[in-house]
């Protein structure tokens, strides 16, 4: 299905946007989604993360272009396959980042800081952390948990220690599984 999308849209990896549904955990657990204003802010927070995450994916593909072209699966990505130029990808990343931060700013300053921190963490991951064994898994789990924190910020309710501890445990497990699969399929 995603192969039928235009290359520039595939570059954004919209199939990954489902991860951003985690911003709704706080509003759902806080029984706040029945409030139309908070539901709208949560939807805007979701959009902010979709845009910011896509900007990060584009930057990652730019940074890994040479390696992706040599990879048996990643060479099909739009940038590695030559379907989108690096210049277009860079402009797209900048526009996505600006739009994502703009959406976050419309929610609240706290969500803007959360999305901004997420962006900085994804950049650190792209350029340094992903090459550090074990630290990469912790970073991935933290990026997931950041989405839950941002959603809680929408409601104004503090996420419980137990929710954050549980989410880190689950996301550490998922990130470990993802890394194991990647190593096994190399």
């Amino acid at each position: 299905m995603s192969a039928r999308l235009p290359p520039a849209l595939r570059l954004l990896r919209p199939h990954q946007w489902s991860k951003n549904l985690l911003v709704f955990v706080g509003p759902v657990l806080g029984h706040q989604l029945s409030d139309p204003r908070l539901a709208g802010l949560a939807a805007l927070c979701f959009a902010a993360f979709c845009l910011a995450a896509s900007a990060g994916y584009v930057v990652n593909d730019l940074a890994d272009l040479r390696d992706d072209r040599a990879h048996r699966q990643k060479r099909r990505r739009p940038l590695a396959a030559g379907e989108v130029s690096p210049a277009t990808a860079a402009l797209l990343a900048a526009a996505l980042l600006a739009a994502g931060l703009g959406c976050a700013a419309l929610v609240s300053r706290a969500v803007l800081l959360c999305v901004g921190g997420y962006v900085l963490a994804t950049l650190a991951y792209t350029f340094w952390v992903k090459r550090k064994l074990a630290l990469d898994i912790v970073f991935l789990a933290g990026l997931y948990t950041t989405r839950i924190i941002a959603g809680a910020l929408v409601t104004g309710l503090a996420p419980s220690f137990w929710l954050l501890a549980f989410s880190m445990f689950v996301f550490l497990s998922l990130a470990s599984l993802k890394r194991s699969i990647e190593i096994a399929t190399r």
Side-chain angles (χ1 to χ4, degrees):
M1 178 177 151
S2 66
R4 288 182 256 171
L5 295 174
L9 186 55
R10 278 189 289 125
L11 184 63
L12 308 185
R13 300 187 203 171
H15 62 282
Q16 299 285 354
W17 292 348
S18 61
K19 297 173 188 175
N20 300 318
L21 291 171
L22 289 168
V23 303
F24 292 101
V25 169
V28 166
L29 293 179
H31 307 284
Q32 302 290 319
L33 276 184
S34 60
D35 179 335
R37 186 183 76 75
L38 287 178
L41 291 174
L44 202 51
C45 184
F46 172 79
F49 271 97
C50 289
L51 293 163
S54 287
Y57 295 137
V58 173
V59 169
N60 181 71
D61 285 356
L62 283 165
D64 292 347
L65 186 55
R66 185 174 39 166
D67 292 338
D68 286 356
R69 285 182 174 153
H71 192 276
R72 66 183 172 132
Q73 290 175 319
K74 294 179 181 179
R75 69 175 181 233
R76 294 184 188 107
R77 289 181 176 170
L79 196 57
E83 297 173 315
V84 176
S85 73
T88 299
L91 288 173
L92 190 55
L96 289 164
L97 177 59
L101 292 174
C103 286
L106 291 173
V107 177
S108 71
R109 179 184 165 109
V111 170
L112 174 61
L113 291 172
C114 198
V115 172
Y118 171 88
V119 168
L120 292 175
T122 60
L123 291 173
Y125 182 84
T126 292
F127 292 108
W128 183 69
V129 174
K130 70 180 172 185
R131 294 177 229 350
K132 304 295 179 192
L133 189 60
L135 183 58
D136 67 328
I137 294 169
V138 173
F139 247 68
L140 289 174
L143 291 172
Y144 284 115
T145 301
T146 299
R147 293 166 169 104
I148 291 175
I149 293 168
L153 291 172
V154 169
T155 65
L157 301 172
S160 73
F161 167 79
W162 297 109
L163 173 62
L164 296 179
F166 175 77
S167 69
M168 280 300 290
F169 172 76
V170 168
F171 299 138
L172 279 168
S173 299
L174 290 174
S176 297
L177 179 63
K178 178 184 178 198
R179 283 294 169 250
S180 296
I181 291 169
E182 286 175 358
I183 290 168
T185 58
R186 281 187 185 166

